[in-house]
Amino acid sequence: MVTLKAGSRPPWVGLAAAVWVIIASGNAFNFPLYSHSLKAILGFNQQQITMLGVASDIGENMGLLPGIASNKFPPWLVLFIGSLFCFFGYGVIWLVVSRTVQSLPYWLLWIALFVATNSCTWLTTAVLVTNMRNFPVSRGTVAGILKGYGGLSAAVFTVIYSMLLNNSSSKLLLFLVVGIPVLCLVVMYFVRPCTPASGEDLAEPKHFLFIQLASVVLALFLLTTTILDHMYQLSASISYASISIVFILLLAPLAIPVKMTIFRNGTSKSGILDQSVGSSDCLVQAGGDEDKIELLLKPSSSRTELGSFYESDDVTEVDILLAEGEGAVKKKRRPKRGEDFKFREAIIKADFWLLFLVYFAGVGSGVTVLNNLAQIGIAQGVQDTTTLLALFSFFNFTGRLGGGIVSEHFVRTRTIPRTVWMACSQVIMIITYLLFASAIDGTLYAATALLGVCYGVQFSIMIPTVSELFGLRRFGLFYNFITLGNPLGAFLFSGLLAGYVYDNETAKQHGFNLLDSNVSCLGPNCFRITFLVLAGLCGVGSISSIILSIRIKPVYQMLYAGGSFRLPQSSNN
């Protein structure tokens, strides 16, 4: 049984600490910043670099082990494992880029990059699962905030790379090797499970709004700073001042627990949360299949609200067997959508695989563009692609934060399923890929911005949708399984398709001597076929998301009837 921290301040302290961890967990976004160094130093062709990008994507999204660990171990241990992966993985890459080691086998670099970026899943899972459980009735808002900051991580690292590290790939990698583990060691105590409020906190919406506004200010500052540095080459003093402002803005969420400490006042209405959240007893549903159990003896309120989040499976099964021996249980139907599912129960559901397909189409196609963003920019005549990456990062943040806010508003006011917004965003992605394929002058930056927004929406919608359909108890496992759509898309469309098409077109333009790492493909044909395939993929994704939205509409009518969130927690699975 995990020890819970009680009180109104600890969840907000944990959320403030989570902001720093979620920024660090975006370290995989740095691949475009040092991939050119790997290509130049080791003489790789584009397909080899693209396959290293696939290793980065697979590592970033291979989160089944962290998902299981998040239910078995405390968050600090999950964070510690992630920091070790970061240290050893990026350490090997740094040895090569810094020329400390002259050469390493390609397969070893692939594994090292996989291990390095796999730290992202450990860090993200630790803070996301913990905070979703600490704020169970505001999961959409929390997911939007955390994934929004995650979307900003690329811009944060870009500013550090260009202003603090003087565009040095080796210094950036050393920063990742040392900085992220140190950060995790500093904040791991504060990222911990807390008892959710037993009443409605009237100040909670204002607190979330403050964090959202702080993140918007940070995003605008990062975008402005990156553009100005690109245009005017800011002086060292201004650069250091900019880094300091970024540091202060990242500390902004900490103002909430500080304010709660200084100004202690009663801002909660006791009893309201119990009526709207409570246990599965609040929702009386007819029985069906008879292979589950339902407790007839009512547990205590704290156990009812938190038991399904923090109890281990072994303890639960023992309790059930004892209760069954005493005649205190009766047979119950399988869990319905909205209740806590076991993994084997979820993967036989059509909704689970529809959500996987929708996410695969949106994120798998978007990550293909992200992995090749530098080459896409060069092909269209943009030599310095740092601005492109910063632009993508800013609008990726906008999509993540905005997706959480918009979906939370409409799901509470009109019970509109969140996946409707995935459908809308993927329709826009179709148009965006056609813009990329056309390579019309002046559309590159607009297409990059649109893609960033739509790409970000996929994350902020998928996360709360998984928890609402299949419960919070095994949320870490479900969430990380769905995210496998990201590396799968990267492998199919970035590694096998984009890299192959790019190298073929380069061979047509420059002959077949591709060992020269300075050879680049120029013109719209470098990625045109890739973009057309991605547009078709998003067409499939948008149709699938419409079907899914129609199927799960009754679930949202049940969960958000009357505008208040009802959290059905099935009896211990």
Side-chain angles (χ1 to χ4, degrees), residues 24-94:
S25 71
N27 58 75
F29 287 122
N30 291 313
F31 183 72
L33 297 179
Y34 59 83
S35 60
H36 63 281
S37 296
L38 285 173
K39 187 175 183 180
I41 293 172
L42 299 176
F44 291 156
N45 60 34
Q46 183 59 31
Q47 191 164 14
Q48 288 175 308
I49 289 296
T50 302
M51 289 307 296
L52 285 178
V54 171
S56 174
D57 292 321
I58 294 176
E60 180 188 4
N61 296 278
M62 189 63 70
L64 296 182
L65 283 179
I68 296 172
S70 65
N71 274 358
K72 302 292 184 181
F73 305 110
W76 70 264
L77 183 56
V78 180
L79 288 175
F80 181 71
I81 295 173
S83 64
L84 289 180
F85 278 33
C86 186
F87 177 80
F88 288 108
Y90 282 117
V92 172
I93 305 298
W94 173 79

Side-chain angles (χ1 to χ4, degrees), residues 349-384:
K349 296 294 183 181
D351 294 336
F352 185 87
W353 292 107
L354 277 171
L355 183 59
F356 181 90
L357 176 60
V358 173
Y359 182 80
F360 164 76
V363 175
S365 62
V367 76
T368 300
V369 177
L370 180 59
N371 283 351
N372 296 276
L373 192 58
Q375 287 72 33
I376 291 170
I378 292 172
Q380 297 194 27
V382 177
Q383 295 302 317
D384 186 354

Side-chain angles (χ1 to χ4, degrees), residues 543-565:
I543 295 172
S544 301
S545 57
I546 292 172
I547 296 173
L548 177 61
S549 300
I550 295 172
R551 287 177 56 90
I552 64 178
K553 174 69 174 175
V555 180
Y556 283 90
Q557 291 174 335
M558 174 190 71
L559 292 177
Y560 293 94
S564 61
F565 180 77

Side-chain angles (χ1 to χ4, degrees), residues 19 83 239 286 337 345 363 390:
V19 166
S83 64
S239 297
R337 292 171 299 184
E345 294 169 336
V363 175

Side-chain angles (χ1 to χ4, degrees), residues 161-420:
Y161 171 74
S162 60
M163 295 186 176
L164 190 63
L165 305 177
N166 299 318
N167 295 309
S168 170
S169 297
S170 62
K171 290 181 180 179
L172 174 64
L173 289 166
L174 184 60
F175 178 81
L176 298 177
V177 170
V178 178
I180 293 179
V182 169
L183 173 66
C184 291
L185 291 174
V186 170
V187 304
M188 63 171 52
Y189 172 79
F190 303 102
V191 180
R192 58 191 304 180
C194 304
T195 304
S198 59
E200 183 183 31
D201 188 354
L202 300 180
E204 184 174 281
K206 296 179 181 178
H207 292 161
F208 282 131
L209 180 60
F210 172 78
I211 297 177
Q212 290 163 348
L213 290 175
S215 65
V216 170
V217 172
L218 174 62
L220 290 172
F221 180 79
L222 288 169
L223 180 64
T224 304
T225 302
T226 302
I227 293 175
L228 290 177
D229 184 57
H230 173 68
M231 294 174 60
Y232 301 108
Q233 286 294 101
L234 302 179
S235 64
S237 57
I238 295 178
S239 297
Y240 292 141
S242 299
I243 296 294
S244 300
I245 292 174
V246 170
F247 180 83
I248 293 171
L249 289 174
L250 287 174
L251 286 175
L254 193 60
I256 293 173
V258 171
K259 171 244 182 186
M260 296 174 74
T261 302
I262 298 174
F263 303 101
R264 296 176 179 271
N265 53 6
T267 58
S268 63
K269 291 169 62 178
S270 62
I272 292 180
L273 184 62
D274 293 334
Q275 295 173 5
S276 60
V277 179
S279 68
S280 58
D281 295 329
C282 296
L283 298 177
V284 180
Q285 299 172 339
D289 299 331
E290 296 188 347
D291 65 341
K292 284 206 64 187
I293 54 165
E294 180 179 8
L295 292 177
L296 296 180
L297 299 178
K298 288 190 176 182
S300 64
S301 60
S302 61
R303 185 180 179 87
T304 300
E305 293 176 4
L306 300 175
S308 67
F309 295 163
Y310 301 109
E311 289 179 2
S312 68
D313 292 342
D314 295 337
V315 174
T316 298
E317 291 171 1
V318 170
D319 290 342
I320 291 172
L321 289 174
L322 290 175
E324 188 173 10
E326 297 171 2
V329 297
K330 67 178 182 182
K331 293 292 182 180
K332 186 190 173 185
R333 79 290 184 277
R334 293 178 183 272
K336 292 187 176 181
R337 292 171 299 184
E339 298 177 345
D340 289 319
F341 277 70
K342 292 181 179 179
F343 185 71
R344 64 176 178 270
E345 294 169 336
I347 60 174
I348 62 174
K349 296 294 183 181
D351 294 336
F352 185 87
W353 292 107
L354 277 171
L355 183 59
F356 181 90
L357 176 60
V358 173
Y359 182 80
F360 164 76
V363 175
S365 62
V367 76
T368 300
V369 177
L370 180 59
N371 283 351
N372 296 276
L373 192 58
Q375 287 72 33
I376 291 170
I378 292 172
Q380 297 194 27
V382 177
Q383 295 302 317
D384 186 354
T385 57
T386 303
T387 304
L388 275 179
L389 184 60
L391 190 68
F392 182 91
S393 177
F394 173 78
F395 284 98
N396 182 23
F397 155 78
T398 303
R400 294 183 184 212
L401 183 65
I405 294 173
V406 171
S407 67
E408 191 75 11
H409 171 74
F410 282 99
V411 79
R412 289 181 180 272
T413 58
R414 300 184 183 180
T415 65
I416 295 178
R418 299 183 193 272
T419 48
V420 166

